[in-house]
Amino acid sequence: MLLLILSWIYILITTVHLGYGTARFLKLNTNNFVLTAILGLFSATILGTIWACFGRINSEFHLFLLVVNFLFFWIYKKDIKTIYNSFWLELIDLNSSLKLYLTGISILIIAQCAAKPFIIDNESYYIQTIKWINEYGLVKGLANLHIFFGQTSGWHLTQSIFNFSFLYSNFNDLSGYCLLLGSVFAIFRLDSYFEKSEKIDLIIGLLPIANVLLFQFISAPSPDLPVYIFSFILFYYFITDFKAPSSSSFTIQVLLTLFILFIKPTAVALLLIPFLFLIANFKLLKNKLVPSILISLLVFALFIIKNTIITGYPLFPTQLISVNSFDFKVPNELIAFYFDETKLYGFYSSQNEFHAMSWFQLFIKWLTINKINALFNVTSILLVLFSSLFIYKFQNKRSYWLLYLVMVLQFGLLLFTSPQFRFFIHFLLFFGFLLLSSFINSKRSVLFFLFGSGLLVLIMVLVPLNLSVFTTNKLLSENSTFKLNEIIFPHTNTKKQNQFYKAKIGNLEFNSPLDNSFFWGTGDGAVPCVNTQQLEYFKNQFHYIPQLRTTHLKEGFYSKKILQNE
């Protein structure tokens, strides 16, 4: 826990300096401390991605980042000091109840991050993708080794920068730092609401009520968490600046959207937000689009390069384009299997069951899947149906209607691709709080809900709970709690203290977990690491095995077609 605090202090300083340098370079008119730190995360991610195309993100990259950090501070020393002083004064002036809450929730965030990871995807590909980036950078055809490695997210690149793997092996909690930034932003908006009674400040300020849910994402580098936090900040700027637009606000919305999509392409509908803002204010913005266009092209190029290197598909997770001339391109059969499994998982159906049912039958099954999935799925439908009524009655403004249309589009896209509620939570929370703000708007009632949710979070951080009432997944049946021995040193990056053995298939020697009960599991094994059970399945079903392209891991992998009896 103590080591986490020290690492986050360094991350905060670095991201604030980078963020301010980025803001000055793009001529952004903002003095918001949290937004500045987020811009710094974005800048570090872009620099890290470019670096990873050529080499590993390790001590040498940190030396480069340290130099950039120092230069920005040296050039803008006076202004950066002003940012820190202004933020400190804002903290001092914060409502006493909110100050108490922010202190408490900050401690709980750090405590939860020091505990063992909860999310199961951390065991299948988060740890391993970050290891590969730290040790080799972006590796050609890495998805041939484990198809999930094709999902390497921009957030994993960010985590690979700030996990300081060359110093310590247990930093894996950048999502917690992100939630802390989001909590600070929300609490300041709530403080503003108590003074000015702006409805959007209340909606954003209610975000910490969702910490009961969000805390499950923060002890591992889940790409979902930053999407939720950055989306809320994006929604805030879209709503507040819609009637008082500026080129600075538009650029901020573009940067937030690009960052979100680089982290999670499934949030593609958010592209409409800066686009709609541009259309509504085209006369004002038409001559100031060059910075946004250039940055968009850069991020899109990096997205294509990253995906092409790892999978051979520039627009992965889609198959719209593939580079057949690359020997490391993942075979079409394996990609098709991946997409089928993703869709089937969303509907909790077997392939035969999926194709035997009509869309209406699938929809009913999706609504009644099981426990927490059914709860969130039904809630999503109700929000899509009834949010329009609340917007009409309480917030009948063009900006809210446009945001509602974006939500409907996002919901429709997910329903026909991968209908998992976690891809929709940012909209679910925003419009849920829009509805809630129509009934809970007094200072007393808001604080009651805020501290009530904080109490529930405290219980979840300290008390082991049986979560089987919410999920049928045995790997998620127990929450991760803070232990006294984690006060100084955080828990290891994995929840499964597995052992590994050496195995070989063709020219590939790899590490495999002794406990292979989790088909996709890799855990914290040394690279290359993959489950032998998984390799045997792909060998028997599709007649492919992963192989080294050369004798060096850095040169990557390809899938070798074998005969059925090999």
Side-chain angles (χ1 to χ4, degrees):
M1 186 172 174
L2 178 60
L3 289 183
L4 271 178
I5 293 173
L6 295 176
S7 70
W8 285 9
I9 290 172
Y10 175 78
I11 294 171
L12 182 65
I13 292 170
T14 301
T15 54
V16 168
H17 294 179
L18 287 176
Y20 184 77
T22 302
R24 284 294 296 266
F25 179 74
L26 295 174
K27 300 179 180 179
L28 302 181
N29 182 25
T30 179
N31 58 359
N32 186 281
F33 186 82
V34 171
L35 179 63
T36 302
I38 292 172
L39 293 178
L41 283 171
F42 176 69
S43 301
T45 304
I46 297 305
L47 291 173
T49 305
I50 295 171
W51 188 284
C53 292
F54 304 98
R56 65 179 190 168
I57 294 181
N58 212 285
S59 56
E60 53 271 29
F61 177 77
H62 276 274
L63 288 174
F64 162 73
L65 195 64
L66 195 62
V67 171
V68 174
N69 189 354
F70 177 78
L71 285 175
F72 278 159
F73 181 73
W74 183 261
I75 295 170
Y76 304 117
K77 179 165 54 178
K78 183 178 178 180
D79 294 333
I80 289 175
K81 285 183 177 179
T82 300
I83 288 178
Y84 286 123
N85 290 333
S86 297
F87 177 65
W88 179 252
L89 291 175
E90 285 185 273
L91 279 176
I92 296 299
D93 292 338
L94 199 62
N95 175 279
S96 58
S97 297
L98 296 179
K99 196 183 302 181
L100 175 63
Y101 176 83
L102 186 57
T103 301
I105 205 65
S106 299
I107 294 171
L108 289 176
I109 288 173
I110 298 168
Q112 182 66 66
C113 287
K116 68 180 179 181
F118 176 75
I119 299 176
I120 196 58
D121 282 344
N122 187 58
E123 310 300 327
S124 61
Y125 76 100
Y126 292 0
I127 298 173
Q128 289 295 314
T129 54
I130 293 166
K131 271 179 177 280
W132 279 104
I133 296 168
N134 283 148
E135 297 183 25
Y136 296 100
L138 296 176
V139 175
K140 294 176 182 176
L142 184 61
N144 288 294
L145 180 64
H146 189 312
I147 193 66
F148 282 17
F149 294 168
Q151 300 179 89
T152 298
S153 165
W155 194 242
H156 297 141
L157 282 153
T158 317
Q159 178 68 81
S160 72
I161 296 169
F162 293 116
N163 68 346
F164 313 107
S165 61
F166 58 97
L167 293 175
Y168 187 63
S169 61
N170 292 357
F171 290 141
N172 198 41
D173 307 283
L174 193 64
S175 290
Y177 172 74
C178 180
L179 182 61
L180 181 59
L181 291 179
S183 298
V184 172
F185 189 88
I187 293 303
F188 275 69
R189 297 275 52 82
L190 208 52
D191 189 60
S192 177
Y193 171 75
F194 290 160
E195 293 182 8
K196 302 176 183 178
S197 298
E198 290 287 341
K199 183 66 74 172
I200 184 61
D201 286 332
L202 176 57
I203 295 171
I204 301 299
L206 291 175
L207 176 60
I209 292 177
N211 279 338
V212 174
L213 170 66
L214 301 181
F215 259 57
Q216 306 313 309
F217 293 90
I218 64 174
S219 53
S222 167
D224 295 312
L225 194 283
V227 170
Y228 307 154
I229 300 301
F230 300 158
S231 293
F232 256 67
I233 297 174
L234 172 63
F235 297 160
Y236 171 78
Y237 280 99
F238 179 76
I239 296 292
T240 55
D241 294 337
F242 195 82
K243 283 194 173 182
S246 66
S247 59
S248 179
S249 178
F250 172 70
T251 305
I252 289 169
Q253 291 176 49
V254 169
L255 294 176
L256 288 171
T257 303
L258 290 173
F259 199 8
I260 292 169
L261 294 183
F262 196 60
I263 292 170
K264 199 83 173 178
T266 52
V268 63
L270 294 180
L271 271 175
L272 282 175
I273 290 179
F275 184 70
L276 291 170
F277 190 88
L278 173 62
I279 292 175
N281 305 283
F282 186 73
K283 289 184 179 180
L284 173 68
L285 301 173
K286 64 180 180 180
N287 296 322
K288 300 176 181 180
L289 297 177
V290 173
S292 296
I293 291 173
L294 292 177
I295 295 172
S296 299
L297 290 174
L298 173 62
V299 174
F300 184 60
L302 290 175
F303 178 75
I304 287 176
I305 292 169
K306 170 180 72 73
N307 290 338
T308 303
I309 291 174
I310 296 173
T311 69
Y313 294 83
L315 297 179
F316 188 87
T318 74
Q319 294 173 272
L320 294 177
I321 303 174
S322 64
V323 185
N324 294 321
S325 59
F326 290 157
D327 68 314
F328 56 82
K329 189 197 81 167
V330 179
N332 291 331
E333 300 96 310
L334 303 187
I335 292 289
F337 171 79
Y338 164 79
F339 281 109
D340 286 344
E341 285 296 304
T342 301
K343 182 180 290 186
L344 294 175
Y345 180 78
F347 287 102
Y348 278 71
S349 300
S350 66
Q351 192 165 26
N352 291 335
E353 186 180 20
F354 181 84
H355 291 294
M357 290 191 292
S358 66
W359 273 108
F360 180 74
Q361 289 173 320
L362 283 171
F363 179 68
I364 297 300
K365 180 177 175 61
W366 177 75
L367 284 178
T368 57
I369 288 174
N370 60 55
K371 300 183 179 182
I372 194 169
N373 298 82
L375 174 64
F376 276 96
N377 293 343
V378 171
T379 302
S380 299
I381 291 291
L382 293 176
L383 272 176
V384 170
L385 292 176
F386 292 107
S387 289
S388 57
L389 300 177
F390 279 82
I391 294 173
Y392 179 77
K393 184 171 179 61
F394 299 105
Q395 292 294 323
N396 196 8
K397 299 176 183 177
R398 189 182 177 192
S399 55
Y400 283 92
W401 282 114
L402 291 174
L403 203 55
Y404 173 75
L405 291 176
V406 175
M407 176 183 71
V408 172
L409 177 61
Q410 179 73 45
F411 182 75
L413 289 173
L414 291 177
L415 198 58
F416 289 98
T417 54
S418 180
Q420 299 178 46
F421 71 83
R422 63 192 177 97
F423 297 156
F424 193 68
I425 284 179
H426 46 307
F427 284 110
L428 201 159
L429 292 177
F430 182 84
F431 284 94
F433 291 143
L434 172 72
L435 271 61
L436 188 62
S437 67
S438 302
F439 304 101
I440 301 169
N441 45 42
S442 69
K443 181 178 178 180
R444 184 176 180 178
S445 60
V446 169
L447 290 176
F448 174 80
F449 272 83
L450 198 65
F451 280 92
S453 70
L455 179 60
L456 291 177
V457 169
L458 175 64
I459 294 171
M460 293 187 69
V461 170
L462 298 180
V463 181
L465 301 172
N466 185 353
L467 302 180
S468 58
V469 68
F470 300 109
T471 178
T472 56
N473 191 332
K474 294 181 179 179
L475 297 171
L476 303 175
S477 61
E478 184 179 301
N479 60 317
S480 298
T481 57
F482 177 73
K483 305 291 190 301
L484 287 178
N485 61 1
E486 293 159 352
I487 287 179
I488 297 178
F489 301 99
H491 193 278
T492 57
N493 292 345
T494 176
K495 68 192 298 185
K496 295 172 70 69
Q497 302 303 315
N498 212 334
Q499 293 181 316
F500 299 84
Y501 66 95
K502 291 284 186 181
K504 190 171 184 179
I505 184 168
N507 72 354
L508 174 64
E509 188 175 89
F510 60 96
N511 295 293
S512 178
L514 279 173
D515 175 11
N516 61 6
S517 57
F518 179 30
F519 180 79
W520 300 108
T522 53
D524 200 16
V527 299
C529 186
V530 64
N531 194 329
T532 51
Q533 184 183 44
Q534 182 189 143
L535 295 190
E536 286 298 321
Y537 177 84
F538 283 105
K539 178 183 176 181
N540 296 330
Q541 294 294 319
F542 302 102
H543 313 298
Y544 279 106
I545 59 171
Q547 295 288 275
L548 291 171
R549 297 178 66 237
T550 69
T551 57
H552 302 289
L553 288 176
K554 169 60 182 171
E555 298 301 319
F557 306 86
Y558 74 99
S559 287
K560 179 182 177 181
K561 187 75 172 179
I562 61 172
L563 299 176
Q564 292 191 29
N565 58 354
E566 280 191 67

